[in-house]
């Protein structure tokens, strides 16, 4: 329903109707509160007939004393009369006294507090409603939520004097800062560029996963350039009222032009900049009108000099092409998760205000947290601080940070969960299978912890620490990932001659990797370099009429190749575990006894019982990684550093081992 079709002034009409109802109710209650007044004729007859001894008129309250009969006490009748009739009654009683029909008549004129209270209450109600109506319809400025200000922009303006964020506060993004330094220099010295005929990019699009620091980079640009900074979210433009979004865009740029040079930052621009015409019904809706106005403001007929638009999104694939062309968002800067050195720099920034133990080396923490964004690292240190406070510590120690890594990536352990011996035995072999296969075939990862304690609804987990950041993988690496994931299922088959539902998430992951190898990476021996197009469309209608771009025979070949890869990997996994059957039994027995094995103890068991001992993965040739060396290990006072090193990543999602059908609530397939 279009709310604009409603007649104007509906709000005021409501208050008017409410006022009429209150007035009518007050009048009706007043009438109902008064009993029926005596008539002049009946009272006059009683006075003439000599039945009345005396009369006392107190305001509108009449006290009539009747003459005594048969020796009984005189009867007093109290009645309320209409205030408008008081004067008539007063004249009648005076005449009766003069004619000797009444022995006495008194008149009093007291204040009627009940009527006065009602009048005051009514005045207060009317005044309150009048003030509310005036306040609602006359308020100006504000956040644009009132009826008169829907079209005003909701951008927050940061004063350059109060914006203390600079490039020094942004760590782990050196290349991104170098790209933006050009914008800062232009805002400070525009004549340097205008003399050469150069034009600064009108729009800068920051693209990257959530938590990588896109908003922080935009604030740092404004802080470095010391210019006003308008910040607004893309969702703030869209409203249920037609035309409001476009009006807010116009108002935003009008305000920005008054404070040039300045920066307009639109966070989550994909909320308003999505591809037009998507969806089954076409698309000329309010969001598209807002986008059209944004396109006009960024590169229209009007002058827009001195206003630089910066935007951030983690979904550049759904943005409208007109928004990305030169003249609008001329420059795209990809903000990726930090590398090893970047994580170290970010940790130093977030560790400034925290009492971290002196023997904690932040470079070692950076090493065990690949894939973490800046927001993840900030949350990591906060969780470590909470854990330290829980144990009444004065400083944050390495084991607190290590445990926080496990808590974030895997989840808190559920030590109170009651499991049967059969489930415990099956879980021990399952996790032992994962750990042994990983240790035997991986050249870049080390087992850091093997646990059969439930965590986040899972039956157990195997965590490992990557030795280096990996940005791409070979076919062999992907096969090894499949083998590690299948290690739990293979161990179940060897030890129990049966399989459970615990490998559900492992199988899903294996199938996904194998299918991507065939359809995305061209790693199939049969299909070769043939890959399928990426049809992950965001909108239903965008790909609605597209035909299937491969035949049924190709689909069948893909399925056969996926199955072939999985079968080959599973066969190799069984061979690894059969060769190390003694190691598998010993590791499972220790897990049954201790429930949790750290990295160093696992290495001792592996060295003692492995059929074919393989050296642990060494450090990379990367100079920064080598710099860690022995100095990176925390100088703990109790136990070795390796015992306290926390892995952050498991070879698969933590899984629940539930062999019985009557406990399906813990089955991985039923987990959210």
């Amino acid at each position: 329903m279009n709310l604009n079709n409603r007649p104007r002034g509906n709000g005021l009409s409501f208050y008017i109707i409410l006022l009429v109802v209150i007035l009518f109710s007050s009048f009706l209650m007043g009438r109902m509160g008064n009993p029926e007044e005596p008539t002049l004729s009946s009272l006059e007859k009683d006075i003439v007939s000599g039945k009345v001894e005396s009369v006392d008129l107190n305001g509108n309250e009449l006290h009539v004393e009747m003459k005594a009969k048969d020796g009984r006490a005189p009867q007093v009748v109290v009645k309320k009369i209409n205030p408008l009739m008081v004067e008539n009654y007063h004249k009648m009683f005076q005449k009766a006294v003069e004619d000797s029909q009444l022995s006495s008549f008194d008149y009093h004129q007291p204040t009627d507090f009940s009527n006065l209270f009602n009048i005051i209450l009514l005045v207060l109600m009317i005044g309150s409603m009048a003030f509310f109506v005036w306040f609602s319809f006359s308020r100006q400025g504000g956040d644009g939520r009132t009826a008169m200000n829907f079209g005003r922009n909701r951008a927050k303006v940061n004063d350059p004097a109060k914006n203390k964020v600079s490039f020094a506060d942004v760590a782990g993004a050196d290349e991104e800062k170098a790209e933006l330094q050009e914008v800062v220099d232009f805002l400070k010295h525009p004549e340097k560029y205008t003399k050469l005929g150069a034009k600064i990019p009108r729009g800068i699009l920051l693209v990257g996963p959530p938590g990588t620091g896109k908003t922080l980079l935009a604030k740092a640009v404004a802080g470095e350039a010391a210019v006003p900074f308008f910040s607004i979210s893309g969702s703030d433009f869209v409203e249920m009222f037609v035309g409001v979004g476009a009006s807010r865009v116009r108002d935003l740029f009008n305000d920005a032009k008054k404070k040039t040079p300045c920066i307009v930052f639109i966070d989550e621009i994909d909320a308003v900049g999505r591809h037009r015409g998507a969806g089954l019904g076409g698309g000329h809706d309010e969001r598209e009108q807002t986008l059209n106005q944004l396109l006009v403001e960024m590169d229209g007929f009007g002058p827009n000099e001195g206003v630089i638009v910066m935007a951030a999104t983690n979904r550049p694939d759904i943005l409208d092409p007109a928004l990305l062309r030169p003249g609008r968002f001329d420059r795209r800067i990809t903000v990726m998760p930090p590398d090893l050195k970047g994580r170290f720099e970010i940790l130093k920034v977030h560790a400034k205000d925290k009492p971290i133990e002196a023997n904690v080396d932040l470079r070692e923490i950076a090493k065990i947290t690949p894939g973490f964004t800046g927001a993840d690292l900030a949350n990591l240190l906060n969780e470590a601080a909470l854990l330290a406070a829980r144990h009444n510590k004065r400083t944050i120690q390495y084991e607190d940070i290590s445990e926080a890594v496990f808590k974030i990536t895997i989840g808190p352990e559920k030590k109170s969960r009651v499991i049967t011996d059969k489930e415990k035995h099956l879980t021990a072999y399952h996790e032992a299978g994962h750990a042994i296969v990983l240790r035997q075939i991986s050249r870049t990862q080390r087992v850091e912890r093997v646990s059969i304690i439930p965590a986040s609804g899972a039956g157990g987990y195997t965590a490992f620490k990557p030795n280096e950041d990996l940005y791409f993988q070979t076919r062999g690496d992907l096969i090894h990932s499949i083998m590690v994931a299948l290690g739990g299922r293979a161990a179940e088959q060897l030890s129990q001659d049966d399989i459970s539902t615990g490998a559900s998430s492992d199988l899903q992951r294996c199938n996904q990797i194998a299918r991507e190898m065939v359809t995305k990476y061209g790693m199939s021996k049969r299909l070769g370099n043939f890959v399928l197009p990426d049809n992950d469309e965001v909108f239903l209608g965008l790909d609605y009429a597209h035909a299937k771009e491969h035949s049924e025979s190709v689909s069948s070949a893909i399925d056969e190749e996926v199955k072939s890869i999985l079968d080959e990997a599973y066969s190799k996994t069984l061979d690894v575990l059969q060769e190390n059957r003694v190691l598998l039994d010993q590791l499972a027995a220790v897990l049954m006894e201790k429930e949790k094995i750290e990295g160093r103890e696992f290495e001792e068991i592996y060295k003692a019982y492995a059929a074919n001992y393989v050296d642990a993965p060494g450090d990379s040739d990367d100079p920064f990684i080598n710099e860690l060396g022995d100095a990176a290990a925390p100088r703990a006072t109790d136990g070795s550093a390796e015992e306290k090193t926390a892995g952050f990543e498991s070879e698969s999602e933590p899984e629940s081992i539930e062999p019985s059908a009557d406990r399906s609530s813990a089955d991985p397939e039923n987990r959210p």
Side-chain angles (χ1 to χ4, degrees), residues 56-72:
D56 184 11
L57 183 58
N58 189 358
N60 65 334
E61 193 173 74
L62 184 64
H63 297 256
V64 181
E65 183 181 354
M66 310 300 290
K67 290 183 177 180
K69 294 182 179 180
D70 303 329
R72 293 180 293 180

Side-chain angles (χ1 to χ4, degrees), residues 382-454:
N382 184 66
E383 286 290 342
L386 294 175
L387 289 174
R390 184 184 302 174
H391 295 91
N392 298 319
K393 297 180 180 179
R394 295 181 179 268
T395 58
I396 302 173
Q397 301 176 358
Y398 188 88
E399 53 263 29
D400 300 320
I401 304 176
S402 171
E403 195 63 33
V405 174
F406 283 109
K407 183 179 179 181
I408 292 173
T409 58
I410 299 176
E413 293 181 342
K414 186 74 173 177
K415 298 181 180 180
S416 61
R417 177 181 170 184
V418 179
I419 58 176
T420 63
D421 292 339
K422 182 180 179 181
E423 292 174 338
K424 192 174 182 179
H425 184 267
L426 187 61
T427 306
Y429 271 94
H430 186 101
E431 299 303 332
H434 284 311
I436 293 172
V437 175
L438 174 69
R439 179 63 178 82
Q440 194 71 22
I441 66 176
S442 179
R443 304 274 68 81
T444 58
Q445 298 161 352
R446 302 179 184 180
V447 176
E448 288 299 310
R449 177 182 291 181
V450 186
S451 173
I452 61 173
I453 301 175

Side-chain angles (χ1 to χ4, degrees), residues 224-439:
E224 289 284 342
V227 296
F229 183 74
F230 293 79
S231 61
I232 190 172
S233 174
S235 60
D236 288 335
F237 291 111
V238 184
E239 199 64 73
M240 60 181 174
F241 301 106
V242 176
V244 171
S247 177
R248 288 175 179 172
V249 172
R250 288 191 298 270
D251 190 64
L252 171 63
F253 279 87
N254 288 334
D255 293 343
K257 292 173 185 177
K258 297 176 183 178
K259 297 186 178 182
T260 57
C262 64
I263 294 175
V264 174
F265 177 68
I266 305 175
D267 199 10
E268 305 296 342
I269 194 174
D270 51 274
V272 69
R274 293 191 176 190
H275 199 295
R276 291 172 293 179
L280 293 177
H284 192 68
D285 56 4
E286 168 66 7
R287 179 183 55 77
E288 294 192 3
Q289 294 182 26
T290 306
L291 175 59
N292 292 335
Q293 186 63 42
L294 180 62
L295 297 176
V296 172
E297 292 291 343
M298 291 189 65
D299 188 24
F301 292 102
N304 202 26
E305 300 295 334
V307 179
I308 296 177
V309 182
M310 299 185 67
T313 181
N314 53 14
R315 295 299 308 275
D317 55 310
I318 66 175
L319 295 180
D320 193 275
L323 197 63
L324 303 176
R325 75 160 178 82
R328 293 187 175 122
F329 284 106
D330 309 84
R331 182 171 298 182
R332 178 186 299 188
I333 299 176
T334 302
V335 186
M336 297 300 296
D339 56 6
L340 180 61
K341 188 176 181 180
R343 294 193 298 273
F344 173 61
E345 297 296 331
I346 294 173
L347 286 169
K348 288 197 300 182
V349 173
H350 292 297
K352 289 180 180 179
D353 58 345
K354 290 181 173 59
I356 298 179
E357 193 77 16
N359 60 5
V360 175
D361 196 323
L362 296 179
R363 290 174 292 185
E364 178 66 17
I365 301 175
K367 187 178 179 181
I368 65 176
T369 53
F372 276 44
T373 64
D376 295 330
L377 294 172
N379 182 54
L380 171 64
L381 293 184
N382 184 66
E383 286 290 342
L386 294 175
L387 289 174
R390 184 184 302 174
H391 295 91
N392 298 319
K393 297 180 180 179
R394 295 181 179 268
T395 58
I396 302 173
Q397 301 176 358
Y398 188 88
E399 53 263 29
D400 300 320
I401 304 176
S402 171
E403 195 63 33
V405 174
F406 283 109
K407 183 179 179 181
I408 292 173
T409 58
I410 299 176
E413 293 181 342
K414 186 74 173 177
K415 298 181 180 180
S416 61
R417 177 181 170 184
V418 179
I419 58 176
T420 63
D421 292 339
K422 182 180 179 181
E423 292 174 338
K424 192 174 182 179
H425 184 267
L426 187 61
T427 306
Y429 271 94
H430 186 101
E431 299 303 332
H434 284 311
I436 293 172
V437 175
L438 174 69
R439 179 63 178 82

Side-chain angles (χ1 to χ4, degrees), residues 455-598:
S456 294
Y461 62 90
T462 299
F464 63 88
K465 179 184 73 174
N467 189 60
E468 58 187 28
D469 291 348
L470 298 177
Y471 298 100
F472 61 88
Q473 292 178 295
T474 64
R475 187 180 188 277
D477 294 335
L478 295 175
I479 294 293
H480 287 170
S481 298
I482 295 175
M483 291 178 60
V484 172
L486 293 175
R489 167 63 61 90
E492 292 178 11
Q493 182 175 338
L494 289 177
S495 62
Q496 309 289 331
D497 196 22
D498 199 2
I499 54 178
S500 72
T501 61
S504 173
S505 61
D506 292 329
L507 295 178
Q508 292 178 4
R509 182 168 178 264
C510 293
N511 279 266
Q512 180 183 357
I513 295 175
R515 188 164 293 275
E516 289 180 349
M517 290 174 61
V518 176
T519 63
K520 190 175 182 179
Y521 305 132
M523 295 180 178
S524 169
K525 295 179 180 178
R526 179 177 175 181
L527 299 177
N529 294 328
F530 173 82
V531 297
L532 296 181
D534 188 4
N535 289 327
D536 297 332
E537 300 290 354
V538 180
F539 307 107
L540 178 61
L542 199 60
D543 195 43
Y544 185 72
H546 287 188
K548 193 174 182 180
E549 298 185 2
H550 59 278
S551 64
E552 293 296 333
S553 61
V554 173
S555 297
S556 178
I558 292 173
D559 294 338
E560 293 175 1
E561 283 296 291
V562 171
K563 186 178 184 303
S564 175
I565 292 174
L566 295 175
D567 291 343
E568 180 184 358
Y570 191 65
S571 177
K572 292 181 179 179
T573 304
L574 286 173
D575 293 340
V576 172
L577 293 179
Q578 286 175 342
E579 184 181 0
N580 295 274
R581 181 58 189 270
V582 177
L583 173 61
L584 178 64
D585 294 335
Q586 291 292 330
L587 185 58
V590 176
L591 282 172
M592 289 281 293
E593 178 184 356
K594 296 185 176 182
E595 295 187 336
K596 184 189 297 183
I597 299 177
E598 299 295 340

